[in-house]
Amino acid sequence: MTTRRRRLRLGMIGGGPGAFIGPVHRMAARLDDRYEFVAGLLSGDPTRAIAGGQALGLDDDRIYTDLAAMMAAERSRADGVDAVAIVTPNRHHYEAAIACLDAGISVICDKLMTTGLSDAQDLVARVARTNLIFAVTYNYTGYPMVRQARAMVVAGEIGALRTVQVEYAQDWLAEPLERTGHKQAAWRADPKLAGPGGAIGDIGTHAFNLAEFVTGARIVELAADLSRFVPGRALDDNAQILLRFAGDARGALWVSQVAPGHANGLRLRVYGSRGALDWQQERPNELRFTRLGRPTEIRARGGPGLASASAGHGGRLPAGHTEGYLEAFATLYADAADAIGARLGWNDPPVNGPLLPSVIEGARGVAFIEAAGASAERNSVWMPIEVTA
Amino acid sequence: MTTRRRRLRLGMIGGGPGAFIGPVHRMAARLDDRYEFVAGLLSGDPTRAIAGGQALGLDDDRIYTDLAAMMAAERSRADGVDAVAIVTPNRHHYEAAIACLDAGISVICDKLMTTGLSDAQDLVARVARTNLIFAVTYNYTGYPMVRQARAMVVAGEIGALRTVQVEYAQDWLAEPLERTGHKQAAWRADPKLAGPGGAIGDIGTHAFNLAEFVTGARIVELAADLSRFVPGRALDDNAQILLRFAGDARGALWVSQVAPGHANGLRLRVYGSRGALDWQQERPNELRFTRLGRPTEIRARGGPGLASASAGHGGRLPAGHTEGYLEAFATLYADAADAIGARLGWNDPPVNGPLLPSVIEGARGVAFIEAAGASAERNSVWMPIEVTA
Amino acid sequence: MTTRRRRLRLGMIGGGPGAFIGPVHRMAARLDDRYEFVAGLLSGDPTRAIAGGQALGLDDDRIYTDLAAMMAAERSRADGVDAVAIVTPNRHHYEAAIACLDAGISVICDKLMTTGLSDAQDLVARVARTNLIFAVTYNYTGYPMVRQARAMVVAGEIGALRTVQVEYAQDWLAEPLERTGHKQAAWRADPKLAGPGGAIGDIGTHAFNLAEFVTGARIVELAADLSRFVPGRALDDNAQILLRFAGDARGALWVSQVAPGHANGLRLRVYGSRGALDWQQERPNELRFTRLGRPTEIRARGGPGLASASAGHGGRLPAGHTEGYLEAFATLYADAADAIGARLGWNDPPVNGPLLPSVIEGARGVAFIEAAGASAERNSVWMPIEVTA
Amino acid sequence: MTTRRRRLRLGMIGGGPGAFIGPVHRMAARLDDRYEFVAGLLSGDPTRAIAGGQALGLDDDRIYTDLAAMMAAERSRADGVDAVAIVTPNRHHYEAAIACLDAGISVICDKLMTTGLSDAQDLVARVARTNLIFAVTYNYTGYPMVRQARAMVVAGEIGALRTVQVEYAQDWLAEPLERTGHKQAAWRADPKLAGPGGAIGDIGTHAFNLAEFVTGARIVELAADLSRFVPGRALDDNAQILLRFAGDARGALWVSQVAPGHANGLRLRVYGSRGALDWQQERPNELRFTRLGRPTEIRARGGPGLASASAGHGGRLPAGHTEGYLEAFATLYADAADAIGARLGWNDPPVNGPLLPSVIEGARGVAFIEAAGASAERNSVWMPIEVTA
């Protein structure tokens, strides 16, 4: 029988009224009951920060309006936060992350980790000098069938990697929503807040990360053609990108936020010399697997034919009882809890530790958008993607 | 801005170590942060009850091993529970429900509500004499696209109801799992614990309830052919049932737990004079709608073309960010919180109140399995389904 | 290398201007180049018969306007027809079939074979007294993946048969099309031309035949609930039917011509003790197969994992090059050519001979609609389905 | 009523024993009964040419073993061929085409039209000097829902074109089948017979043509990355290609013959400012259409919501009665018959004439593979695609 143990204390920077991803982080943290949300700097606007904290039931003395004050207060409390979730617009991630690391607090940072690669490399170096946990919420890696896919590739079930088709298509920016007062659209369309990538930063990085996560291979160069289809838009809203992996493997990545009919159409297909895998985020409980010369199989979360449990988190429910986005997100929080718990001496280092996207994955996402931008500026010349660990 | 308000205090009867549905109720209660789990009688075995309570972090004085003691203690505490979730095997629901009602505590009862119709009718009468909330977790009604379907039928979008095809197929009992020590299979296969229905009780009731919920029409009689395909099994594992609705509408219900390839295959199709709807639990974020003479449309949770918000809970995430079983289950908990909150004077009676399955729906589920059994015994003669409100 | 051999000479009764199934038979006969269409009595209306024959390029002396004359002329010619396709409304099948058999001409008869069971039994007896070929175009049996399914059941791949779900849903009669001058709708809605079955005769018989064909098992009794949803309609347009197979197997059959969203929705699912099969006519090149305890596989026409060629006709094209309705129909014509060729001494009796639906299958289709009608009249009492071979 | 008219007389070059596409052309020509196959030079090997002609029932004097002899004989006969189908390996198309044009015979030529662009341009010029019909069987343009898609784009239903995703994936060459004696694989892998393109020539040209056909827009340049994944293979078996259309539209084309799980996976998705279309060859009777801000619709061949008949050939059967590859191929033959008939004065020039792929489309396919090869040699630099009309 499990012994009784306190929940981890979680703080949050960003995620106040009107936010999308802040509430997602909070639900994800809550689902498995391993975190207690106790402190927050929920907005850069003090009035909203306070209102948000009150609405969420935080104690008054842990509703913050200033980053330095939050750090000072939490590090001095006996019951200070064990981890902070950073869920602001991209522009503020770097400053918040440094503050947490300096305060000795582990970080769960939303992507895009930083708006530039030099900041990202700086975070890589800083994290290396601590023993803190720094997770970046490339949340699609938390889906059980994505982890299943990775385990199958690692186990050699598709043979040598040949080609990868990955796409992430949405349609919510097919018209200039950012000029209508829509908060989510506005900051993503503003280079000052979002960084240099539009669709490639907002969702392309997920596609890039997913391709590397499942294949276990690094994408070493890319050739990109970026478009801004909506007149007046400052950042790309569609990109066609060729990929070259370490070794001979090739691929293509398509990202669009102007593709009618796609709500959140992330799909990855991986082809090897002996088999292939196909996963779609909008049917996340299925993974199609073809062994060359055999019929395609539909492998289902919780169903027969799966790799051993060491593949990662298999979900919370029996087969057929669908799980979704929040459960996958919660799995990253559970993995982070295992990792932080190990640091606190509560448990052994987690078997699944390597599955949790780290500061390196965070930096590679930033390198991806810089390479894509540079390639596009030079008429799609091949550009390398390099992060120094 | 929402004012700060305490969360509802939730107790639980059943749901100890090894249970399936108990943890589901707890995750569902937690997701929207409107309940605090504070007290439990988690098993009929005192040792397991205590171990389970400790593992879940309950205070020692609220880990109970006796029903009467739990009721006495909780009703006498200033911070006593506002509601109790009953998640034992079916056999114990009735006794637990009576105890809660007598103690003035609202109930969230798993289905099958009781093992016999007379007990069910007694609960109907008892609930009518209180102003307590009594919800039965026909959880598939919590899916946003199920509620969307109901709203569309009510709004006349399919015209007059003609025929309904509903099925709920699983395969986990295709072999005699109940004889292998599998806890979930064992109690479901035992008439003393499960009641008189096998597959019809365990999952057929969900299909029956879903058909009535979406159509807003009552099934008035049925003709059933029940099978026990696995040798030695005491209860049905497959049923073919004809349905007659009030009015001229007809239907068929198939339920099976011996159907290879189906993990949790609940599907409802509703056909009217002007259109049709098709929903599948394993792809719950989609609802297919055909207006007669027009192409079939795929309506998506969060996407375009939906009925107004009054259709019910639309989910927690944007379109394409899949939600699943736990989110739907949580919606019943949220609805129950609204209903209980209204009773406490915290909020107005919920608009969605009628969507929360009540003691009447609970009793109809029991009436369904009694009618099916009686019909099958008489070579599939039509039998009425009657519950007195 | 194949030796040169003349094509079979084909005549046709029915199938003149405006017909649906006549042109289908002609395309099917033409596809594999084994028939030459040389003679026809294309309509009961002499003017239309002549115009139709001319439009189709028949020689003037083989455009007939009278059944007896056609029979007399063709049997007296050295190059008389080897076979006649009967494609009139159901009402005329029996008379035409008798005339052909009496003239010593093999028959390819569209379903419904006759409008009553006594006529059907008479044809069974008459065919038994000849060595002529008498095929009934239950054309869905010609799909390669339907034959694959049958071969797999026969080979024991799904174990002992347990339950069968078969449905055939259309929507073209959801409104009273028969009162608008629509020729196809009009005769089907008229008991004098169609016989006693509406939807059950027009398409239900296909579903019934498909279930028996794939399972290799006989349906011994049924319980039916028939509806006429469109006001004023004389024949059923929707039916819910319970099935009992020889042995313990059970099933349900749903047929509807008032189900919005279904164009030609024939689907068969067969569940056994060790596996299951799922085939849909609108995706005919796929067959889903689940071996109990294994992931579902998508077996594709021409693809890997298929039963040996003895399963029947595997199609004309490589995998992925879709085949459809006409190709399946043509396979029945090819099988009939093999059977007729054997009779002429051109080839050995075909291995696939038993796959070609015979006069017995034709009679069983008629028995099915009579049993369904009788059951419905008696409030869904179980009725036997019996044909004497 | 249609008047009686003879069928067109068709000859064939190539397509003897063991061929794949020759029999397809013959079935396609036969389906609608507008051609009579009367003459052939079926193989470059005289023995096989004769055996093949006999097996197909040709008269002895029209079984040829020499191209010049065939041309001389046919042009001198009163009943000489009206058209010749050229279905040899690519290498021989050009010589055969010139011979036919010089003999005043219309041509139906399989793709790849020629193995080099200069030959292709020469054919363009030669055809321009005649009034003969020269069709190239980009057969996927014959699918009714492909023509529907084109009509919808032309009608503005998706607004301004933004991006195109087209892919054509197969798996039959995932291993070195060409070294096993497999006739179809062998010639396609041999640059002398196939020309300079492997997968890009065999199937990539279909994808390229389909994208231009449906959008009605020209692809003006491409950037390609070609792979030869199977060791020892002389030609590409996988290609990732970026596309730029006239105007701002962009796209990506993926072609592979080493992608496990794909039998004949041709798929086209077209996105515009107001809507999108999605068509898959393996489900050819469906076309998914999304109008921006509305739910996705599944438009079905023969079903509701289609463009007017001027969209092109709508198929031969009612909705739900699936049509496939042969029917689409036959539609090109029917269109060619209309075009040839107009030349013969039998009918007016066909409304659908522009839908029949011409010598220009044939030349563009050749230009595509030359551009792809040139781009790949220069590390994926953008290369123009130019054909002079």
Side-chain angles (χ1 to χ4, degrees):
Chain A
M1 186 54 55
T2 312
T3 58
R4 273 186 276 188
R5 194 172 66 200
R6 72 170 173 85
R7 291 175 286 170
L8 292 166
R9 289 182 289 261
L10 181 69
M12 183 169 280
I13 299 175
F20 159 56
I21 207 67
V24 166
H25 279 252
R26 292 192 293 266
M27 286 188 279
R30 207 153 54 222
L31 191 69
D32 294 324
D33 207 23
R34 298 182 63 179
Y35 293 86
E36 184 177 12
F37 175 46
V38 295
L41 166 56
L42 291 154
S43 172
D45 169 0
T47 305
R48 295 171 67 83
I50 292 168
Q54 290 177 334
L56 293 169
L58 294 181
D59 290 342
D60 286 338
D61 64 340
R62 299 182 90 172
I63 301 174
Y64 298 98
T65 59
D66 176 81
L67 179 60
M70 178 180 181
M71 293 298 115
E74 290 296 326
R75 76 186 307 179
S76 68
R77 295 178 70 110
D79 64 349
V81 294
D82 298 299
V84 162
I86 301 175
V87 295
T88 64
N90 301 340
R91 167 71 177 82
H92 306 298
H93 289 178
Y94 177 62
E95 179 189 5
I98 289 176
C100 291
L101 293 175
D102 287 350
I105 298 169
S106 288
V107 171
I108 298 170
C109 184
D110 210 79
K111 47 60 62 187
L112 193 65
M113 187 171 78
T114 63
T115 54
L117 185 55
S118 61
D119 288 353
Q121 284 285 177
D122 181 57
L123 284 184
V124 170
R126 286 171 181 264
V127 170
R129 292 194 296 266
T130 73
N131 64 346
L132 297 171
I133 301 305
F134 194 104
V136 179
T137 49
Y138 281 114
N139 53 287
Y140 297 107
T141 64
Y143 275 112
M145 298 315 284
V146 167
R147 294 184 168 197
Q148 174 68 25
R150 177 184 163 99
M152 291 174 74
V153 173
V154 168
E157 295 208 42
I158 66 164
L161 184 65
R162 287 182 169 172
T163 190
V164 174
Q165 305 300 119
V166 61
E167 64 184 48
Y168 197 155
Q170 299 181 328
D171 63 7
W172 68 298
L173 297 177
E175 295 187 323
L177 190 62
E178 65 268 31
R179 279 175 257 152
T180 65
H182 187 287
K183 177 185 165 84
Q184 298 303 326
W187 79 253
R188 281 172 174 79
D190 180 349
K192 291 193 299 296
L193 290 170
I200 54 170
D202 191 28
I203 58 175
T205 45
H206 279 296
F208 173 83
N209 175 263
L210 186 68
E212 290 200 339
F213 180 83
V214 168
T215 62
R218 289 303 189 195
I219 296 168
V220 294
E221 56 179 348
L222 59 73
D225 199 17
L226 305 187
S227 300
R228 290 173 294 170
F229 283 119
V230 171
R233 185 162 283 168
L235 294 171
D236 62 283
D237 53 19
N238 189 86
Q240 306 286 1
I241 304 179
L242 303 182
L243 306 175
R244 287 179 177 158
F245 289 78
D248 292 328
R250 294 294 187 266
L253 185 156
W254 172 49
V255 55
S256 186
Q257 293 185 308
V258 298
H262 293 283
N264 199 37
L266 175 61
R267 182 183 190 184
L268 176 71
R269 294 178 287 172
V270 179
Y271 302 89
S273 56
R274 292 176 40 215
L277 292 163
D278 180 358
W279 181 80
Q280 299 188 54
Q281 192 272 150
E282 298 193 9
R283 292 185 185 167
N285 296 278
E286 284 183 17
L287 175 66
R288 297 200 173 210
F289 170 57
T290 308
R291 193 184 305 279
L292 184 64
R294 293 294 309 155
T296 295
E297 296 178 9
I298 304 172
R299 300 208 172 172
R301 190 189 55 71
L306 303 186
S308 72
S310 67
H313 198 295
R316 295 156 186 83
L317 297 173
H321 297 71
T322 50
E323 299 191 9
Y325 181 94
L326 288 176
E327 289 81 355
F329 218 111
T331 291
L332 262 59
Y333 266 85
D335 287 349
D338 285 343
I340 296 167
R343 200 179 152 268
L344 296 175
W346 293 358
N347 50 256
D348 289 335
V351 173
N352 293 344
L355 298 183
L356 184 65
S358 70
V359 69
I360 298 288
E361 306 313 316
R364 288 192 63 79
V366 179
F368 161 75
I369 63 164
E370 291 211 349
S375 172
E377 280 178 15
R378 299 174 209 178
N379 202 26
S380 314
V381 69
W382 287 99
M383 293 292 298
I385 299 164
E386 288 171 330
V387 165
T388 305
Chain B
M1 185 54 55
T2 311
T3 58
R4 275 187 274 186
R5 195 172 66 202
R6 72 169 173 85
R7 291 174 287 171
L8 291 166
R9 289 182 290 262
L10 181 69
M12 182 168 280
I13 299 174
F20 159 56
I21 207 68
V24 166
H25 278 252
R26 291 192 295 265
M27 286 187 279
R30 206 152 53 222
L31 191 69
D32 293 324
D33 207 24
R34 298 182 63 179
Y35 292 87
E36 184 177 12
F37 175 46
V38 296
L41 166 55
L42 292 154
S43 172
D45 169 359
T47 305
R48 295 170 68 84
I50 292 168
Q54 290 177 335
L56 293 169
L58 295 180
D59 290 342
D60 285 338
D61 65 339
R62 298 180 90 172
I63 300 174
Y64 299 98
T65 57
D66 177 83
L67 180 60
M70 179 180 180
M71 294 297 116
E74 292 295 326
R75 77 187 306 180
S76 68
R77 296 178 70 110
D79 64 351
V81 294
D82 297 300
V84 162
I86 301 175
V87 296
T88 64
N90 302 340
R91 167 71 177 79
H92 307 296
H93 289 178
Y94 177 61
E95 179 190 7
I98 289 176
C100 291
L101 294 174
D102 286 350
I105 299 169
S106 289
V107 171
I108 298 170
C109 184
D110 209 80
K111 45 60 62 184
L112 194 63
M113 187 172 78
T114 63
T115 54
L117 185 55
S118 62
D119 288 353
Q121 285 284 176
D122 181 57
L123 284 184
V124 170
R126 285 171 181 263
V127 170
R129 293 194 297 265
T130 72
N131 64 347
L132 296 171
I133 301 305
F134 194 104
V136 179
T137 49
Y138 281 113
N139 52 288
Y140 298 107
T141 64
Y143 276 111
M145 298 316 285
V146 166
R147 294 183 168 199
Q148 175 67 23
R150 176 185 164 98
M152 291 174 74
V153 173
V154 168
E157 295 209 42
I158 66 163
L161 185 66
R162 286 180 170 174
T163 189
V164 174
Q165 304 300 119
V166 62
E167 64 184 48
Y168 198 156
Q170 299 181 331
D171 62 8
W172 67 298
L173 296 177
E175 294 188 323
L177 190 63
E178 64 269 31
R179 279 176 256 151
T180 65
H182 187 288
K183 177 185 164 86
Q184 298 302 327
W187 80 253
R188 281 172 173 78
D190 179 351
K192 291 192 299 297
L193 289 170
I200 55 170
D202 191 29
I203 60 175
T205 45
H206 279 295
F208 172 83
N209 174 264
L210 186 67
E212 291 201 338
F213 180 83
V214 168
T215 62
R218 290 303 189 196
I219 296 167
V220 294
E221 57 179 347
L222 60 74
D225 199 18
L226 305 187
S227 300
R228 290 174 294 170
F229 283 120
V230 171
R233 185 162 282 168
L235 294 171
D236 63 281
D237 52 20
N238 190 85
Q240 306 286 1
I241 304 178
L242 303 182
L243 305 175
R244 287 178 177 160
F245 290 77
D248 292 329
R250 293 294 187 268
L253 185 156
W254 172 48
V255 55
S256 186
Q257 293 184 308
V258 298
H262 292 283
N264 200 38
L266 174 62
R267 183 183 190 184
L268 175 71
R269 292 178 289 171
V270 179
Y271 302 89
S273 57
R274 291 177 40 217
L277 292 163
D278 180 359
W279 180 81
Q280 299 188 51
Q281 193 272 151
E282 297 193 10
R283 292 185 185 169
N285 295 278
E286 284 183 17
L287 175 67
R288 298 199 173 211
F289 170 56
T290 308
R291 192 184 307 279
L292 185 63
R294 291 294 308 154
T296 295
E297 296 178 10
I298 303 172
R299 300 211 172 169
R301 189 189 57 71
L306 304 186
S308 73
S310 68
H313 199 295
R316 294 154 187 83
L317 298 172
H321 297 70
T322 50
E323 299 192 8
Y325 181 94
L326 288 176
E327 289 82 354
F329 217 110
T331 292
L332 263 59
Y333 266 86
D335 286 350
D338 285 344
I340 296 168
R343 201 180 151 267
L344 296 174
W346 293 358
N347 50 256
D348 288 336
V351 173
N352 294 343
L355 299 183
L356 184 66
S358 71
V359 69
I360 297 289
E361 305 312 317
R364 289 191 64 80
V366 179
F368 162 74
I369 63 165
E370 292 209 349
S375 173
E377 279 178 17
R378 298 173 211 180
N379 202 27
S380 315
V381 71
W382 289 98
M383 292 293 297
I385 299 164
E386 289 171 327
V387 165
T388 306
Chain C
M1 185 55 53
T2 311
T3 58
R4 274 187 276 187
R5 194 173 66 201
R6 72 168 173 87
R7 291 175 287 169
L8 292 166
R9 290 182 290 261
L10 181 68
M12 183 168 281
I13 300 174
F20 158 57
I21 207 67
V24 166
H25 279 252
R26 293 192 293 266
M27 287 188 277
R30 207 151 55 221
L31 191 69
D32 293 324
D33 207 23
R34 299 182 62 180
Y35 293 87
E36 184 176 14
F37 175 46
V38 295
L41 166 56
L42 291 154
S43 172
D45 168 2
T47 305
R48 296 171 65 83
I50 292 168
Q54 289 177 334
L56 292 169
L58 294 180
D59 290 342
D60 285 339
D61 65 340
R62 299 180 91 173
I63 299 175
Y64 298 99
T65 58
D66 177 82
L67 180 60
M70 178 179 181
M71 293 297 115
E74 290 296 326
R75 77 186 307 177
S76 68
R77 295 177 71 110
D79 63 351
V81 294
D82 298 298
V84 163
I86 302 175
V87 295
T88 63
N90 301 339
R91 167 70 177 83
H92 307 297
H93 289 178
Y94 177 63
E95 178 188 8
I98 288 176
C100 291
L101 293 174
D102 287 351
I105 299 169
S106 288
V107 172
I108 298 169
C109 184
D110 209 79
K111 45 60 61 186
L112 194 61
M113 188 172 78
T114 63
T115 54
L117 184 55
S118 62
D119 288 354
Q121 284 285 176
D122 181 57
L123 284 184
V124 170
R126 286 171 180 263
V127 170
R129 292 195 296 266
T130 73
N131 63 349
L132 296 171
I133 301 306
F134 194 104
V136 179
T137 48
Y138 282 114
N139 53 288
Y140 298 106
T141 65
Y143 276 111
M145 298 316 284
V146 166
R147 293 184 167 196
Q148 174 67 24
R150 176 184 164 99
M152 290 173 75
V153 173
V154 168
E157 295 209 41
I158 65 164
L161 184 65
R162 286 181 169 172
T163 190
V164 174
Q165 304 300 121
V166 62
E167 63 183 48
Y168 198 155
Q170 299 181 331
D171 63 8
W172 68 298
L173 297 177
E175 295 187 322
L177 191 62
E178 65 268 32
R179 278 176 257 150
T180 65
H182 187 288
K183 177 185 165 85
Q184 299 302 326
W187 80 253
R188 282 173 174 79
D190 179 350
K192 291 192 299 296
L193 290 170
I200 55 169
D202 191 28
I203 59 175
T205 45
H206 279 296
F208 172 83
N209 174 265
L210 186 67
E212 290 200 338
F213 179 83
V214 168
T215 62
R218 290 302 190 196
I219 296 168
V220 294
E221 58 179 346
L222 61 72
D225 198 19
L226 305 187
S227 300
R228 291 175 293 169
F229 283 119
V230 171
R233 185 161 283 166
L235 294 171
D236 63 281
D237 52 20
N238 189 85
Q240 306 285 0
I241 304 179
L242 303 182
L243 306 175
R244 287 177 177 160
F245 290 77
D248 292 328
R250 294 294 186 268
L253 185 155
W254 172 48
V255 55
S256 185
Q257 293 184 308
V258 297
H262 292 283
N264 200 37
L266 175 61
R267 183 183 190 185
L268 175 70
R269 292 178 290 172
V270 179
Y271 301 89
S273 56
R274 291 176 40 217
L277 292 163
D278 181 359
W279 181 80
Q280 298 188 55
Q281 192 272 152
E282 297 193 10
R283 291 185 186 168
N285 296 277
E286 283 182 19
L287 175 66
R288 298 200 174 210
F289 170 56
T290 308
R291 193 184 305 280
L292 184 63
R294 291 293 310 154
T296 295
E297 296 178 10
I298 303 171
R299 300 209 172 171
R301 190 189 57 70
L306 303 185
S308 74
S310 67
H313 199 294
R316 295 156 186 82
L317 298 172
H321 298 71
T322 50
E323 298 192 8
Y325 181 94
L326 288 175
E327 289 82 353
F329 217 110
T331 292
L332 262 59
Y333 265 85
D335 287 349
D338 285 342
I340 296 167
R343 201 178 151 268
L344 296 175
W346 293 358
N347 51 256
D348 289 335
V351 173
N352 294 343
L355 298 183
L356 185 65
S358 71
V359 69
I360 297 288
E361 306 313 318
R364 290 192 62 79
V366 179
F368 162 75
I369 64 164
E370 292 211 348
S375 172
E377 280 178 15
R378 299 175 209 179
N379 203 26
S380 315
V381 69
W382 288 98
M383 293 293 297
I385 299 164
E386 288 172 328
V387 165
T388 306
Chain D
M1 183 56 54
T2 311
T3 58
R4 273 188 276 187
R5 193 173 66 201
R6 72 167 173 87
R7 290 174 287 170
L8 292 166
R9 289 182 289 262
L10 181 68
M12 183 168 282
I13 299 174
F20 158 56
I21 207 67
V24 166
H25 278 252
R26 292 192 295 265
M27 286 188 278
R30 206 151 55 221
L31 192 68
D32 293 324
D33 207 24
R34 300 182 62 179
Y35 293 86
E36 183 176 14
F37 175 46
V38 295
L41 165 56
L42 291 154
S43 172
D45 168 2
T47 306
R48 295 169 67 83
I50 292 168
Q54 290 177 335
L56 293 169
L58 294 180
D59 290 343
D60 285 338
D61 65 340
R62 298 181 90 172
I63 299 174
Y64 299 98
T65 57
D66 176 82
L67 180 60
M70 178 180 181
M71 293 297 116
E74 291 296 326
R75 78 187 308 176
S76 69
R77 295 178 72 108
D79 64 350
V81 294
D82 298 298
V84 162
I86 301 175
V87 295
T88 63
N90 302 340
R91 167 71 177 79
H92 307 295
H93 290 179
Y94 177 62
E95 178 189 8
I98 289 176
C100 290
L101 293 175
D102 287 350
I105 299 170
S106 289
V107 172
I108 298 169
C109 183
D110 209 80
K111 47 60 61 184
L112 196 61
M113 188 172 78
T114 63
T115 54
L117 185 55
S118 62
D119 288 353
Q121 285 284 175
D122 181 58
L123 285 184
V124 170
R126 286 171 181 263
V127 170
R129 293 195 295 267
T130 73
N131 64 348
L132 296 171
I133 301 305
F134 194 104
V136 180
T137 49
Y138 282 113
N139 53 289
Y140 298 106
T141 64
Y143 276 111
M145 298 315 285
V146 166
R147 294 183 168 199
Q148 175 66 24
R150 176 183 163 99
M152 291 173 74
V153 173
V154 168
E157 295 209 41
I158 66 163
L161 184 65
R162 287 182 169 172
T163 190
V164 174
Q165 304 300 120
V166 62
E167 64 183 48
Y168 198 156
Q170 299 181 330
D171 63 8
W172 67 298
L173 296 178
E175 293 186 324
L177 190 63
E178 65 268 33
R179 279 175 256 152
T180 65
H182 186 288
K183 177 185 164 85
Q184 297 303 326
W187 80 253
R188 282 172 173 79
D190 180 351
K192 290 192 299 297
L193 290 170
I200 56 171
D202 191 29
I203 59 175
T205 45
H206 279 295
F208 172 84
N209 175 264
L210 186 67
E212 290 200 338
F213 180 83
V214 168
T215 62
R218 290 301 189 196
I219 296 167
V220 295
E221 56 179 349
L222 60 73
D225 198 18
L226 306 187
S227 300
R228 292 174 292 169
F229 283 120
V230 171
R233 185 162 283 167
L235 294 171
D236 64 281
D237 52 20
N238 189 85
Q240 305 286 359
I241 304 179
L242 303 182
L243 306 174
R244 287 178 177 159
F245 290 78
D248 292 328
R250 294 292 186 269
L253 185 156
W254 171 49
V255 54
S256 185
Q257 293 184 309
V258 297
H262 293 283
N264 200 37
L266 175 60
R267 183 183 189 183
L268 175 71
R269 293 177 289 172
V270 179
Y271 302 89
S273 57
R274 291 176 40 216
L277 292 163
D278 180 0
W279 180 80
Q280 299 187 55
Q281 193 271 152
E282 298 193 10
R283 292 185 185 167
N285 296 278
E286 283 183 19
L287 175 67
R288 297 198 174 212
F289 170 57
T290 307
R291 193 183 306 278
L292 185 63
R294 291 294 310 153
T296 294
E297 295 178 10
I298 303 171
R299 301 210 172 169
R301 190 190 55 72
L306 303 186
S308 73
S310 68
H313 199 294
R316 294 155 186 82
L317 298 172
H321 297 70
T322 50
E323 299 191 7
Y325 181 95
L326 288 175
E327 289 82 354
F329 218 110
T331 291
L332 262 59
Y333 266 85
D335 287 349
D338 285 344
I340 296 167
R343 199 178 153 269
L344 297 174
W346 293 357
N347 49 257
D348 289 335
V351 173
N352 294 341
L355 299 183
L356 185 65
S358 70
V359 69
I360 298 288
E361 306 312 318
R364 288 192 63 79
V366 179
F368 162 74
I369 63 164
E370 292 210 349
S375 172
E377 280 178 16
R378 298 173 210 179
N379 202 27
S380 314
V381 71
W382 288 99
M383 292 293 298
I385 299 164
E386 288 171 328
V387 165
T388 305

